[in-house]
């Protein structure tokens, strides 16, 4: 039985300019079960976004590297950012134009503007940092520990909330949402989702972005 939703933000509730869909906000507020936001973004952004949208007080940031349950609770960090910093120094020597995003707010991983091909970064990391990976969300490139992802974030947040991961329906658009689709009991993809996410989804919205998120949440509400 589905008791909660875990929803991606960028490309799912927003368009490619990161403008949030009012229709998606309305669908979230109308849903009779909690909606946990999960993003590659930093946890202080997640806290503000959750409050303004009217989502749950539980949230997953930095692709699962950070989880917070309760707006006034401290964030829990699940990966060591220092190794990412060392790897980033190597990458920035190799690719001098590579620009970090929100570095001062990050606790478990680093993010870069998408000015370099993700595969080139992966090749440069390769042998020296086997425990790290590069994930492309279509909005940023994330340099993160392989041991954390939105799936491990969902497992952690579910246990902190007293739910099982399979009691969540996952909503998303991108490759970084795949692990949370695997951990959740139901998968909802927006119309603009990458093919590998649509392949494992139980419901694929006809509409893209926030309108597709609203469509999928209304479909879910009818199944509850
Ligand atoms: O921070 C990003 O790169 C995109 O985040 P998302 O997980 O909300 O799509
Ligand atoms: Mg996304």
């Amino acid at each position: 039985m589905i008791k909660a939703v875990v929803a991606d933000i960028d490309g799912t509730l927003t368009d490619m300019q990161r403008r949030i869909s009012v229709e998606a906000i309305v669908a979230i507020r109308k849903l009779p079960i909690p909606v946990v936001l999960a993003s590659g973004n930093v946890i202080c952004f997640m806290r503000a976004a959750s409050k303004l949208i009217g989502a749950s007080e539980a949230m997953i940031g930095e692709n699962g590297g950070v989880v917070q349950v309760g707006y006034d609770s401290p964030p829990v960090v699940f990966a060591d950012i220092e190794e990412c910093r060392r790897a980033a120094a190597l990458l920035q020597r190799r690719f001098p134009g590579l620009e970090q995003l929100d570095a001062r707010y990050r606790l478990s991983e680093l993010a870069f503007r998408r000015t370099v091909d993700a595969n080139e970064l992966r090749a440069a990391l390769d042998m020296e940092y086997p425990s790290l990976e590069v994930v492309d969300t279509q909005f940023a490139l994330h340099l993160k520990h392989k041991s954390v992802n939105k799936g491990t974030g969902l497992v952690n947040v579910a246990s902190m909330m007293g739910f099982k991961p399979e009691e969540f329906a996952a909503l998303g658009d991108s490759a970084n949402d795949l692990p949370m689709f695997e951990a959740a009991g139901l998968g909802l993809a927006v119309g603009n989702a990458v093919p590998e996410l649509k392949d494992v989804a139980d419901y694929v919205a006809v509409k893209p972005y926030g309108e597709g998120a609203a469509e999928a949440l209304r479909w879910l509400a009818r199944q509850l």
Side-chain angles (χ1 to χ4, degrees), residues 85-98 124 128-129:
R85 290 204 176 113
R86 287 193 293 275
L90 173 126
L91 293 178
Q92 284 181 301
R93 277 196 301 277
R94 203 79 55 90
F95 305 95
L98 193 60
E128 290 183 61
Y129 290 94

Side-chain angles (χ1 to χ4, degrees), residues 7-216:
D8 170 52
I9 299 181
D10 293 300
T12 300
L13 305 181
T14 79
D15 62 17
M16 289 308 286
Q17 284 76 49
R18 297 189 125 137
R19 293 174 300 195
I20 195 152
S21 153
V22 175
E23 203 181 323
I25 296 175
V26 170
I28 287 172
R29 292 192 189 163
K30 280 192 177 163
L31 211 63
I33 54 177
V35 176
V36 172
L37 299 181
S39 175
N41 217 318
V42 295
I43 203 75
C44 54
F45 170 91
M46 304 293 301
R47 180 178 179 273
S50 295
K51 273 198 168 193
L52 294 172
I53 291 167
S56 157
E57 285 202 31
M59 54 221 132
I60 299 166
E62 297 190 21
N63 290 301
V66 185
V67 158
Q68 185 170 330
V69 178
Y71 289 142
D72 298 320
S73 305
V76 186
V77 181
F78 291 92
D80 170 28
I81 198 169
E82 288 308 325
E83 195 175 1
C84 298
R85 290 204 176 113
R86 287 193 293 275
L90 173 126
L91 293 178
Q92 284 181 301
R93 277 196 301 277
R94 203 79 55 90
F95 305 95
L98 193 60
E99 186 190 345
Q100 286 200 33
L101 300 169
D102 311 315
R104 63 192 295 199
Y105 302 114
R106 293 196 167 269
L107 304 173
S108 72
E109 57 140 72
L110 294 171
F112 304 102
R113 207 174 290 288
R114 289 172 87 236
T115 50
V116 176
D117 184 69
N119 283 327
E120 283 187 44
L121 287 189
R122 287 180 188 120
L125 262 188
D126 212 20
M127 302 305 235
E128 290 183 61
Y129 290 94
S131 60
L132 303 185
E133 65 180 349
V134 173
V135 174
D136 184 1
T137 64
Q138 316 291 317
F139 289 86
L141 298 171
H142 295 258
L143 172 61
K144 58 181 281 300
H145 282 266
K146 290 178 181 169
S147 60
V148 293
N149 52 53
K150 289 192 188 180
T152 64
L154 175 56
V155 168
N156 289 320
V157 96
S159 94
M160 289 160 86
M161 292 173 78
F163 290 142
K164 296 186 183 121
E166 58 271 25
E167 289 173 331
F168 280 77
L171 171 63
D173 75 309
S174 192
N176 66 331
D177 300 316
L178 261 175
M180 88 181 175
F181 270 51
E182 282 156 16
L186 198 75
L188 315 170
V190 284
N192 56 292
V194 293
E196 57 266 44
L197 201 66
K198 287 185 175 175
D199 285 348
V200 298
D202 298 285
Y203 182 85
V204 178
V206 177
K207 293 181 182 164
Y209 306 110
E211 285 182 22
E215 176 194 326

